[in-house]
Amino acid sequence: MTASMAEPQIKAFPETHTLGFVRDYSMATLDEMPDLWRTFYEAPLVIPNYVPGAMYGVSFAADGLGKFKYGVTVEVDPVPSELPKGTSLARLPEGDYAVVQDFGTLDDVQLCFDWIIAEWLPQSRYTQRRGAIFERYPEDPRNGPEGMVFEIWVPVCDRPN
């Protein structure tokens, strides 16, 4: 956990549709994720119905064996009737999420992600529910070479008694 990180807040989130590039990953290929971000930034891509304000890194469809899908996406509303070639939709389900916001590097994002899943969640009164876990990177004037504002959103519900 980075020095400035606080306890997660529980926030309601509306169903949101995002669009971008989605690839298959495993725990062994995590170091390839920055390549997907580069691909997204370098693509001559026009995303219809783009909602400005943030970019998303979306982890979903985990198989329980370490494999999952990860997408670099932006919000769209409404969902376009025709998707740009090579893109996929990633739906962020409505519900409660444990949210941590911080400022830092990509290494800090990974440390925060690991902390909320491996340390905070097991000791909290919440359990992870089905749905995508996502990073949200809001537009912020501080974003630059020194770091960026990031949020980790983990879908949660009350732990059964």
Side-chain angles (χ1 to χ4, degrees):
M1 181 163 105
T2 61
S4 62
M5 194 181 335
E7 281 290 303
Q9 293 183 320
I10 304 303
K11 295 183 179 183
F13 190 79
E15 179 178 72
T16 301
H17 292 90
T18 69
L19 177 68
F21 294 128
V22 175
R23 302 286 183 268
D24 292 317
Y25 289 92
S26 70
M27 298 313 285
T29 60
L30 290 177
D31 60 339
E32 297 173 14
M33 284 182 175
D35 294 337
L36 187 59
W37 283 91
R38 274 190 285 284
T39 299
F40 184 89
Y41 278 115
E42 294 170 359
L45 184 64
V46 174
I47 296 182
N49 308 329
Y50 162 65
V51 177
M55 294 193 67
Y56 294 83
V58 184
S59 300
F60 61 102
D63 68 359
L65 302 172
K67 293 184 181 175
F68 60 96
K69 293 187 179 298
Y70 182 81
V72 175
T73 65
V74 293
E75 182 179 350
V76 292
D77 188 25
V79 173
S81 56
E82 192 170 314
L83 304 182
K85 183 177 173 79
T87 65
S88 299
L89 284 172
R91 184 180 71 86
L92 306 177
E94 175 182 15
D96 287 340
Y97 288 78
V99 183
V100 173
Q101 182 180 58
D102 205 347
F103 179 88
T105 66
L106 286 175
D107 287 340
D108 294 324
V109 173
Q110 187 62 51
L111 288 170
C112 179
F113 190 90
D114 292 347
W115 173 80
I116 195 168
I117 295 295
E119 293 182 39
W120 178 82
L121 189 59
Q123 297 174 20
S124 76
R125 69 180 195 98
Y126 299 96
T127 187
Q128 186 176 336
R129 65 175 170 79
R130 290 177 54 108
I133 297 174
F134 60 93
E135 306 129 42
R136 184 175 179 275
Y137 299 94
E139 294 175 358
D140 188 286
R142 296 173 291 168
N143 292 348
E146 301 301 313
M148 66 210 146
V149 173
F150 65 89
E151 302 165 354
I152 307 293
W153 292 68
V154 178
V156 295
C157 60
D158 286 328
R159 189 177 303 277
N161 291 332

